[in-house]
Amino acid sequence: MTDSSPPPDAGEIMTVVHEAVGGIELEPAEKREIWRFTQRELPYLWSQRTSYFILGSYRDPYIRRLHAVQNELTKQLGAYPFIMGDLLELPTDRLNTFDIMFSLLATYSDYIVGVFEKESGGEAPELGEIDDPPYFDKSYVFPRDYAWVTDENLDSTQHVIQAALEIAFADDLSADEVQSKVESLVDRAQESSLDIDEQEVWDVIDDRADEGEEPAAYSWVHLNKFRKFELHERCFPWTTEDELRTVVDELPSPTPRPEWEESG
């Protein structure tokens, strides 16, 4: 059985917990469960391996993308990528268990990786947690179909594909209208010296139609938070799962220690 006695840095841990629960007094049984959780999970984060706390939706098909990110990171020697939904929960009825677990794991992880495909669900408040201190400096976001798009700003393949997906899945357009608008979109991008092939755009549209998944839609609040990460070069949009697996390479490797730790 996991030890329920206080760990060596119990004071620091309890500071995190008290902030998570709003300063209420914990019952002895609740403290014991928290110690069991910390004794079981935090040693992985205190080890020499570099930890990656992966956030996102646990529902299918979204959970598959979280595991895809986890699998890519696992290939790197010295990496410990994990998903909170795969860990044992705190068995307490009275406390806000999610907040406690999230705060402890986010505090002691080296990096936080958010994978976003929609604006609803548990990943929405998670985004609100990681875009400010104390977690912002070690957080990276991977929003599906995101692009800071204006009609004049078609300066990347991601911008063009995002705009094309919105056209293709618009309810009020006929097939001929979609064809015409996508062709016009690609023509404008090519005239702006963007190296993009029209068939590449249609392949993405067709794949998304085959999956039965419409483009990800985000609120203005979500878009602005993604933009904040983008300005700090820690936002990596993707469209297909293969692209997601590829852009995971943009994360810091397990070798160097995180900058947030060195500057803290």
Side-chain angles (χ1 to χ4, degrees):
M1 178 179 293
T2 306
D3 188 6
S4 62
S5 60
D9 25 17
E12 180 181 315
I13 290 172
M14 287 312 296
T15 297
V16 175
V17 172
H18 280 297
E19 290 180 358
V21 300
I24 65 171
E25 185 174 352
L26 301 179
E27 298 173 354
E30 294 168 340
K31 289 183 179 179
R32 287 194 295 271
E33 294 300 340
I34 289 171
W35 297 141
R36 285 195 182 96
F37 176 80
T38 58
Q39 296 280 33
R40 178 183 176 90
E41 303 298 347
L42 295 193
Y44 295 104
L45 310 186
W46 291 329
S47 70
Q48 292 302 307
R49 291 191 293 172
T50 301
S51 54
Y52 300 84
F53 182 13
I54 304 170
L55 310 179
S57 175
Y58 298 157
R59 291 187 296 167
D60 191 58
Y62 311 114
I63 186 64
R64 298 206 309 266
R65 260 79 84 172
L66 303 192
H67 285 136
V69 171
Q70 185 181 31
N71 291 339
E72 289 302 310
L73 288 170
T74 300
K75 296 175 182 178
Q76 302 189 47
L77 183 65
Y80 172 60
F82 68 96
I83 299 167
M84 186 166 72
D86 293 338
L87 308 182
L88 292 179
E89 289 193 24
L90 283 169
T92 62
D93 295 328
R94 185 176 76 104
L95 300 179
N96 46 324
T97 303
F98 171 85
D99 290 338
I100 297 172
M101 294 175 62
F102 178 89
S103 296
L104 287 171
L105 297 171
T107 297
Y108 292 106
S109 294
D110 293 318
Y111 299 106
I112 301 172
V113 182
V115 182
F116 301 95
E117 299 189 49
K118 54 191 177 66
E119 64 181 9
S120 60
E123 60 274 29
E126 289 174 348
L127 178 60
E129 291 284 348
I130 66 174
D131 80 317
D132 283 317
Y135 308 129
F136 177 72
D137 287 344
K138 59 178 174 180
S139 296
Y140 295 74
V141 296
F142 292 77
R144 188 175 198 181
D145 299 335
Y146 163 76
W148 191 253
V149 177
T150 67
D151 190 53
E152 295 78 23
N153 184 23
L154 296 174
D155 56 359
S156 73
T157 299
Q158 186 65 36
H159 283 107
V160 176
I161 289 177
Q162 169 62 13
L165 284 170
E166 292 178 358
I167 292 170
F169 284 85
D171 293 334
D172 57 344
L173 296 179
S174 67
D176 288 342
E177 289 172 326
V178 168
Q179 179 81 29
S180 175
K181 287 182 178 293
V182 170
E183 290 176 351
S184 176
L185 175 72
V186 174
D187 286 344
R188 294 204 312 274
Q190 291 173 339
E191 289 170 1
S192 300
S193 301
L194 183 64
D195 184 16
I196 185 171
D197 181 69
E198 183 179 331
Q199 188 57 49
E200 176 184 0
V201 176
W202 285 112
D203 286 345
V204 173
I205 293 173
D206 292 341
D207 287 345
R208 189 63 63 86
D210 291 341
E211 294 173 359
E213 297 181 10
E214 295 188 1
Y218 303 106
S219 69
W220 183 236
V221 174
H222 282 72
L223 294 175
N224 274 266
K225 291 184 183 296
F226 295 152
R227 180 58 172 170
K228 179 179 178 180
F229 281 98
E230 186 174 22
L231 292 171
H232 287 266
E233 300 182 341
R234 283 187 273 118
C235 175
F236 302 99
W238 57 281
T239 303
T240 67
E241 186 174 312
D242 285 342
E243 289 178 355
L244 176 61
R245 290 178 180 274
T246 299
V247 293
V248 168
D249 288 340
E250 299 295 336
L251 286 168
S253 71
T255 304
R257 297 307 300 165
E259 292 182 7
W260 68 265
E261 182 181 84
E262 297 173 357
S263 62

